[in-house]
Amino acid sequence: MNLTLKIWRQKDASAKGQMVDYKVNDISEHMSFLEMMDVLNEQLVNAGEEPVAFDHDCREGICGMCSLYINGEAHGPDRGITTCQLHMRMFKDGDTITIEPWRAAAFPVIKDLVVDRMAFERIQQAGGYISVNTSGNTQDANSLPISKHAADEAMDAATCIGCGACVATCKNSSAMLFVGAKVSQYALLPQGQVEAADRVKNMVAQMDLEGFGNCTNTGACEVECPKGISLDNIARMNRELMKAAIK
Amino acid sequence: MSGFFKSSIGRKVAMALSAFFLMFFLIIHLAVNITSLFSADLFNELSHFMGTNPLVQFGLQPVLIFGVVFHFVMGFILELKNRKAIGVKYAQNNGAANSSWVSRNMIYSGLVILAFIVLHFIDFWIPELNTKYVLGDMSGMHGADYRYFHELVEKFENPLRVGAYVVSFVLLGLHLAHGFTSAFQSMGVTAGRKKTLQQIGKAYSIIIPALFIVIALYHHLNPHH
């Protein structure tokens, strides 16, 4: 298929970017979206032009590196997938596809379609951990009984890959689905109880400090999340913070 | 605790608490107004009680005013903060793919409701305060009868006012269609109760505004009963 691409080009963080049109021809419907981007970049390199910078790593839908806002949706029009798992059969010959970086004040553009998502790392560092003695006498995790229900819910929360689609898609650029998932995966388990109050307070404080917006419960994040992280995790984070506040 | 209400989640909780209060007030207000459909006397009695009881006037009324003002001021503050958090806007954004129109436009439905409240204050509240506390007429009488029912019917004679009233309450219904469940979500409702609350929210957001509209239309269409 032959496509027209409208892509955000921005030389560096301080440059003023703009949308630029490109044409790519003979794209197979079996290609992934990123493979289509590779074809475009090969074309640009052969023509002596600067290739389009975009994030990617595993290309198996698990690392959380790829991003891209495609035709107005995070990770494109398909559901439950990252951009690397988006296939060109979702598009038609002759389509025009708009490709933009994640937009949020807390995710500044580094170059073209690459944004700085270190804010997520700093939120994790503020409390997304448990203290375990790892100096040779580590406890067997199975020595603590955990209900099947709690284990399942914690696992569901822990599937968050931190790609940032929730922030990108939110009309308020809120990071609450991400932080809710990270708070929940520990809040549901006995190992997470020791630092529970400090964790939620510190992670929420860091989230606010990074300049993410306030959640208005539109639920867009849950729909666009490649891992199907539920809004229930945001409600749990709210409960955890209320509990921590009255402690 | 003061740190809590300065956090993004604390503000959400404060927004939800004021919403709960306003949604409760709406039921009380409707309960009084609806009596006007079947008993002018009962409506007069209740209106006189609400308008002159010191506990209602000097206890509950200031709380109500605070609740209304807090809810919209906080709404504006959050909207401005959120706009700042977005930074550069998308060239193409397909919000309809993942969220409802009402959930994305609470600020606009809210602004219409605010405009209605301003109208309601000019129309009802300021003249009430003038009659009772400036002119000092606490009797609630107009000639030999209570004035309340008579004033209500008179207000709904003007089709422009009735039109504005209907539009405002449709927008209130849309505001509540998202706001009801959103408030519970902000308060951290557990997954198990979500479905029930969604159903109650749907019923509440349709029935309450619809009854207010019915009252307005009934009096507009029956001006001399």
Side-chain angles (χ1 to χ4, degrees), chain A residues 16-217:
Chain A
K16 196 175 174 312
Q18 57 171 344
M19 300 299 285
V20 179
D21 288 8
Y22 297 97
K23 294 239 183 259
V24 281
N25 296 329
D26 300 324
I27 296 295
S28 161
E29 60 173 13
H30 304 298
M31 278 182 185
S32 76
F33 199 85
L34 295 188
E35 283 167 336
M36 183 275 295
M37 294 294 288
D38 292 338
V39 170
L40 169 70
N41 276 346
E42 213 163 312
Q43 201 175 295
L44 290 175
V45 170
N46 287 340
E49 290 178 48
E50 181 79 8
V52 178
F54 62 91
D55 264 326
H56 61 102
D57 192 3
C58 77
R59 299 208 178 193
E60 290 179 336
I62 194 63
C63 74
M65 269 313 280
C66 63
S67 53
L68 305 188
Y69 213 71
I70 302 160
N71 281 350
E73 282 188 81
H75 295 301
D78 213 349
R79 291 286 173 261
I81 51 147
T82 52
T83 296
C84 64
Q85 303 289 294
L86 177 67
H87 282 86
M88 294 313 293
R89 55 179 165 269
M90 294 295 291
F91 302 92
K92 293 192 308 288
D93 182 41
D95 273 1
T96 298
I97 307 175
T98 309
I99 309 166
E100 295 173 80
W102 282 173
R103 292 294 190 197
F107 284 168
V109 171
I110 297 170
K111 183 180 180 170
D112 296 337
L113 302 170
V114 179
V115 298
D116 180 356
R117 286 174 280 185
M118 284 305 284
F120 270 15
E121 303 300 324
R122 290 187 289 270
I123 293 172
Q124 271 292 74
Q125 285 160 13
Y129 53 81
I130 55 167
S131 300
V132 178
N133 187 343
T134 54
S135 56
N137 52 357
T138 318
Q139 293 248 327
D140 184 341
N142 290 323
S143 63
L144 281 168
I146 299 167
S147 78
K148 168 89 171 101
H149 183 69
D152 283 351
E153 279 199 286
M155 189 62 207
D156 285 349
T159 56
C160 167
I161 52 177
C163 66
C166 46
V167 174
T169 204
C170 177
K171 72 179 260 294
N172 311 316
S173 297
S174 168
M176 289 206 190
L177 194 68
F178 168 76
V179 183
K182 297 302 170 195
V183 165
S184 288
Q185 75 181 68
Y186 301 112
L188 285 154
L189 300 175
Q191 291 92 335
Q193 299 313 306
V194 184
E195 291 133 331
D198 285 340
R199 174 180 307 113
V200 68
K201 275 189 197 167
N202 293 339
M203 289 181 85
V204 169
Q206 188 64 36
M207 169 179 81
D208 292 348
L209 195 66
E210 297 288 352
F212 291 105
N214 297 269
C215 171
T216 52
N217 306 319

